[in-house]
Amino acid sequence: MSLFHATADAYGRYRPGLPDEVVPLLVGTLRGIRRPALLDLGTGTGQVPSALLPVLPQRARLDLVDADRDMLDQADRTLRPLLAGRTAAYHRVRAEEFTAPERGYRADLVTCARAFHWMDRAAVLAMADRVTAPGATLAIMGDGSLWTHPAPWTVALRELIQSHLSVERRAGTIGAYAAPRRRYEDDLADSPFSDVEEHHFPLRRVWTPGQVIGYLRSTSFARPDLFGDRHPGFETEARALLEQRATTEDGLVEDGLFDVLLARRPGGAR
């Protein structure tokens, strides 16, 4: 069972999308390519392709990879009205297991947003080397989560979750979450995609209590099944905490960075 099984609806409704500033950066990597192929790993509910589709060339091809059937079904519902004749294929496999869907396939842009930490990163990078064009770009993106955000209201929320589950951050049914031991930059430095440029986009999100509750339902650390029959009680406590914090001067504000690593093979086209 996938780590995010049965959370697709909440994921699609409450997970923040890509910041607007990221879209031209990604699309710019495809400049001059008439029929670009986008490969999105850990696509979830299709947030990356849904942000890019309005500005992708009409002849673009999309391949979306996720191990969770519910996520891919939700992505299909989200993307279908946006395709406008473009081709989208859905691959229900782990990113590490993706293989070229047809002879001669070469991806021009590989994206992975908020998912690289769940993967066998060395295996994913080796796979990307096999299925990409010589000048392809690999974009690793993310912005942390409300679990790691240091604002007073997120700290109080994390402590409430810990009081119900455990001090360790849960990771769905697989137990405790283990943070990556290496930086993504180090993973990339040891891969064929060792030419890396970093981009950091400041972001500010103002949440409502209802949005936070929905977001928690989509996470690996506070999804409903972790609480069992105690989940309604937890949500009652969480909503009361959030409503109280929302009335303070600072409110439910998340200030942070959205980080993008663009990686290419040395000497690859830009």
Side-chain angles (χ1 to χ4, degrees), residues 1-252:
M1 181 179 294
S2 167
L3 190 63
F4 295 96
H5 178 71
T7 65
D9 179 66
Y11 200 107
R13 293 175 61 188
Y14 297 107
R15 285 294 180 105
L18 296 187
D20 292 342
E21 300 87 343
V22 175
V23 174
L25 176 69
L26 297 179
V27 174
T29 68
L30 302 173
R31 190 175 295 113
I33 302 174
R34 293 182 59 197
R35 302 184 65 179
L38 168 67
L39 173 61
D40 188 37
L41 305 177
T43 198
T45 57
Q47 289 180 317
V48 172
S50 65
L52 298 183
L53 267 171
V55 290
L56 282 178
Q58 187 63 35
R59 302 179 72 184
R61 167 190 180 135
L62 294 84
D63 286 275
L64 313 180
V65 178
D66 202 289
D68 190 301
R69 183 187 299 277
D70 292 340
M71 289 288 192
L72 290 180
D73 288 345
Q74 182 68 37
D76 179 42
R77 289 191 290 271
T78 299
L79 298 176
R80 199 178 304 161
L82 305 174
L83 287 173
R86 301 177 185 89
T87 300
Y90 301 88
H91 307 272
R92 189 183 168 215
V93 296
R94 297 168 63 239
E96 300 89 331
E97 299 166 349
F98 177 78
T99 57
E102 60 188 46
R103 187 171 183 175
Y105 173 87
R106 290 290 183 270
D108 300 293
L109 173 62
V110 180
T111 52
C112 184
R114 305 181 178 126
F116 201 45
H117 57 293
W118 295 119
M119 301 174 182
D120 180 337
R121 298 186 295 279
V124 168
L125 293 169
M127 177 278 295
D129 188 39
R130 293 191 295 270
V131 302
T132 52
T137 300
L138 176 62
I140 307 297
M141 302 173 280
D143 55 351
S145 74
L146 293 186
W147 178 278
T148 57
H149 192 66
W153 71 273
T154 54
V155 172
L157 181 62
R158 182 173 68 243
E159 290 173 350
L160 176 62
I161 296 169
Q162 290 171 319
S163 74
H164 280 263
L165 298 177
S166 68
V167 174
E168 291 184 307
R169 175 178 170 178
R170 295 293 299 272
T173 58
I174 67 174
Y177 173 74
R181 296 182 179 180
R182 281 164 44 106
R183 302 183 311 148
Y184 295 164
E185 293 89 338
D186 298 327
D187 294 324
L188 292 166
D190 290 339
S191 81
F193 302 91
S194 58
D195 181 4
V196 180
E197 60 181 78
E198 301 182 25
H199 300 265
H200 307 284
F201 299 90
L203 60 83
R204 165 165 282 212
R205 300 186 183 112
V206 181
W207 296 78
T208 67
Q211 288 171 333
V212 177
I213 294 296
Y215 167 89
L216 292 178
R217 293 173 186 167
S218 78
T219 66
S220 63
F221 58 81
R223 48 191 272 185
D225 63 321
L226 294 176
F227 297 86
D229 58 9
R230 295 176 291 120
H231 185 252
F234 161 74
E235 284 206 345
T236 297
E237 292 181 63
R239 189 176 292 275
L241 182 155
L242 292 165
E243 288 176 350
Q244 188 277 324
R245 295 279 177 166
T247 63
T248 65
E249 181 179 349
D250 294 334
L252 304 180

